[in-house]
Amino acid sequence: MTPRARQAIESAEIIVGYDTYLDLIQDLLAGKVTIGTGMMQEVDRCQAAVEQAMTGKQVAVISSGDPGVYGMAGLVLELVGKYPAAVQPEVCVIPGISAVGAAASILGAPLMHDFAVISLSDLLTPWEVIEKRVEMAAAGDFVIAIYNPKSTRRTSQIETVREITLRHRSSDTPVGIVHHATRSKENMTLSTLDRFTKEHIDMFSLVIIGNSQTYIADGKMVTPRGYRL
Amino acid sequence: MTPRARQAIESAEIIVGYDTYLDLIQDLLAGKVTIGTGMMQEVDRCQAAVEQAMTGKQVAVISSGDPGVYGMAGLVLELVGKYPAAVQPEVCVIPGISAVGAAASILGAPLMHDFAVISLSDLLTPWEVIEKRVEMAAAGDFVIAIYNPKSTRRTSQIETVREITLRHRSSDTPVGIVHHATRSKENMTLSTLDRFTKEHIDMFSLVIIGNSQTYIADGKMVTPRGYRL
């Protein structure tokens, strides 16, 4: 967590976030009002935050990773935008270490070249749109970082990603799988495009598929930038 | 800067980095050896860092933004990999706030949906590869974040990006341009796909082109995640 994010939490009267994330920052919550709810209630939670801010209160909405990457920043801005400009509370987005950046740091340096970030969650996005993006990212030889690769309910999409990407890249293309990056439970697996869907992947995993130049050496996944060495 | 990055710098005996970045952390450098060189000498600088680490010294190589995104992490790992595993110094990549994450936070929330990150620098990458990626990212309706959009020598590439993307998206697609994100000189411009190349863009700019759903309201650039509000 950056000093700027910590300061924002410390100076807020009300902290809003998913219960699991509130638990992670319990040492910062003494004397504050917290608004926490379970998963899938993002809209209600952010609406409550906006309503509190409309009354003049200082409110912090917390996200894991970077709130600006599939996080709560957009939802808060969308909800604030429903009010007339004259009464809107000021919104400040404080960037964080993104899950993809954290995962990359554990794998080595897979994001040294152009990359595409794709969420496989089809709750809010039609699968056809996601599939097209996977196809384009694979064809463009992007390193591909995948959020929400798999859940208990949703297991086939990551297999489709594998099939599409195999049409454009060799079967031994390195793939890294990271769980709970930069947290105490952190762990990572290095695999290949051919085999990676046989590894343990769940909703806490972040998957990074290398481009045609990515290699694994001494346990690190590296995408060369192109320097002549 | 995260506490973890600060701690790594504080505990290192030797700090290696581009002179401009060393200047930004002068308060942390007292009593330390610094190895700074001008732009374009990345390889020599990282090689010097690796050689110092081989002698048992604690060395920190600093990058602006995230060292794992077009940063020095990959080059250090590539150079370390040239030595036999038994004598390699341990390398730890500490993730940072990426330039794209910082820029997004200033614009609003443009990265709430799938995005592609592309560098237009053709020093280390053939232009044909870059152009293909722009084409694929535009066709896939990715939000497109562009590093190194333009320099005094290299001015035509960003015009090509505009032309390619205009074939896939409407001319009023929002485009954000950010300079020196989260630094004192920080500033941003909101424009459109049709007009943005007429704005000031240089080697310190980061450009974010919205997807087909991105909008600007109340001075903020937002890509909706897809919630029904």
Side-chain angles (χ1 to χ4, degrees):
Chain A
M1 191 191 297
T2 62
R4 196 174 154 210
R6 175 175 284 263
Q7 199 170 38
I9 292 170
E10 284 172 350
S11 64
E13 299 155 85
I14 300 174
I15 313 292
V16 181
Y18 178 47
D19 288 335
T20 308
Y21 303 151
L22 290 174
D23 286 346
L24 287 171
I25 56 161
Q26 242 170 7
D27 57 317
L28 296 176
L29 299 181
K32 297 184 191 297
V33 176
T34 60
I35 301 177
T37 54
M39 187 88 86
M40 300 304 300
Q41 297 173 289
E42 291 95 345
V43 177
D44 292 347
R45 212 161 61 215
C46 289
Q47 181 62 34
V50 170
E51 284 167 13
Q52 289 294 333
M54 299 274 290
T55 71
K57 293 243 167 52
Q58 190 102 351
V59 182
V61 178
I62 60 166
S63 260
S64 69
D66 188 333
V69 175
Y70 304 115
M72 291 297 111
L75 186 48
V76 169
L77 285 170
E78 285 190 77
L79 291 168
V80 165
K82 298 204 166 290
Y83 296 91
V87 300
Q88 288 177 12
E90 191 191 348
V91 179
C92 181
V93 179
I94 298 177
I97 305 291
S98 61
V100 60
S105 75
I106 290 155
L107 293 168
L111 304 182
M112 286 297 110
H113 220 300
D114 306 330
F115 61 98
V117 180
I118 302 174
S119 167
L120 297 194
S121 172
D122 57 358
L123 280 176
L124 302 171
T125 308
W127 173 247
E128 300 70 49
V129 172
I130 302 170
E131 192 170 0
K132 170 94 183 273
R133 285 180 183 156
V134 172
E135 180 72 45
M136 295 296 104
D141 198 28
F142 283 96
V143 176
I144 305 175
I146 297 172
Y147 280 65
N148 308 307
K150 198 174 176 181
S151 68
T152 39
R153 177 191 72 77
R154 187 168 51 71
T155 57
S156 69
Q157 284 87 342
I158 192 71
E159 296 291 349
T160 307
V161 169
R162 175 183 167 277
E163 285 159 27
I164 292 171
T165 314
L166 271 173
R167 273 184 243 133
H168 298 274
R169 288 178 211 182
S170 77
S171 58
D172 62 352
T173 302
V175 176
I177 304 164
V178 179
H179 296 95
H180 307 287
T182 74
R183 301 224 177 110
S184 54
K185 288 181 287 183
E186 161 187 314
N187 72 78
M188 66 101 153
T189 306
L190 293 172
S191 187
T192 60
L193 188 52
D194 201 30
R195 292 187 43 84
F196 80 99
T197 55
K198 293 179 179 136
E199 306 288 349
H200 177 73
I201 298 177
D202 63 24
M203 61 183 290
F204 299 106
S205 312
L206 201 139
V207 175
I208 299 183
I209 302 173
N211 71 12
S212 59
Q213 308 302 307
T214 304
Y215 65 85
I216 290 172
D218 307 310
K220 302 281 186 184
M221 179 175 174
V222 177
T223 303
R225 181 87 178 86
Y227 295 102
R228 280 191 217 153
L229 303 178
Chain B
M1 192 189 298
T2 62
R4 197 175 152 211
R6 174 174 284 263
Q7 200 169 37
I9 293 170
E10 283 171 351
S11 65
E13 298 154 86
I14 301 174
I15 314 292
V16 180
Y18 179 47
D19 288 335
T20 309
Y21 304 150
L22 289 175
D23 287 348
L24 287 171
I25 56 160
Q26 243 170 6
D27 56 318
L28 296 176
L29 299 181
K32 296 184 193 297
V33 176
T34 60
I35 301 177
T37 52
M39 186 89 86
M40 301 303 301
Q41 296 172 287
E42 290 96 345
V43 177
D44 292 347
R45 211 160 61 215
C46 289
Q47 181 62 35
V50 170
E51 284 166 13
Q52 290 294 332
M54 299 274 290
T55 71
K57 293 241 168 56
Q58 189 104 350
V59 183
V61 178
I62 60 167
S63 260
S64 68
D66 189 333
V69 176
Y70 304 116
M72 291 297 111
L75 185 49
V76 168
L77 285 170
E78 285 190 78
L79 291 168
V80 165
K82 297 203 166 292
Y83 296 91
V87 301
Q88 288 178 11
E90 192 192 347
V91 179
C92 181
V93 180
I94 298 176
I97 305 291
S98 61
V100 60
S105 74
I106 289 157
L107 293 168
L111 304 182
M112 285 297 109
H113 220 300
D114 306 330
F115 61 99
V117 180
I118 303 173
S119 166
L120 297 194
S121 172
D122 57 359
L123 279 176
L124 302 172
T125 308
W127 172 247
E128 301 70 48
V129 172
I130 302 170
E131 191 170 0
K132 169 95 184 275
R133 286 182 182 155
V134 172
E135 179 73 45
M136 295 297 103
D141 198 27
F142 283 96
V143 176
I144 305 174
I146 297 171
Y147 279 65
N148 307 307
K150 198 175 177 180
S151 68
T152 38
R153 175 190 74 78
R154 189 169 49 72
T155 58
S156 69
Q157 284 87 341
I158 193 73
E159 297 291 349
T160 307
V161 169
R162 174 181 167 277
E163 284 159 28
I164 291 171
T165 314
L166 271 173
R167 273 184 244 133
H168 299 274
R169 290 179 208 181
S170 77
S171 59
D172 61 354
T173 301
V175 177
I177 304 164
V178 178
H179 296 94
H180 306 286
T182 73
R183 301 228 176 107
S184 54
K185 288 181 289 183
E186 161 187 313
N187 72 79
M188 67 100 154
T189 307
L190 293 172
S191 186
T192 60
L193 188 52
D194 201 29
R195 292 187 41 84
F196 81 99
T197 55
K198 294 180 178 135
E199 306 290 347
H200 176 73
I201 298 176
D202 62 25
M203 61 183 290
F204 299 107
S205 311
L206 201 140
V207 175
I208 298 183
I209 301 174
N211 72 12
S212 61
Q213 308 301 308
T214 305
Y215 64 84
I216 291 173
D218 308 310
K220 301 281 186 185
M221 179 174 174
V222 178
T223 302
R225 182 87 179 85
Y227 295 103
R228 282 192 215 149
L229 304 177

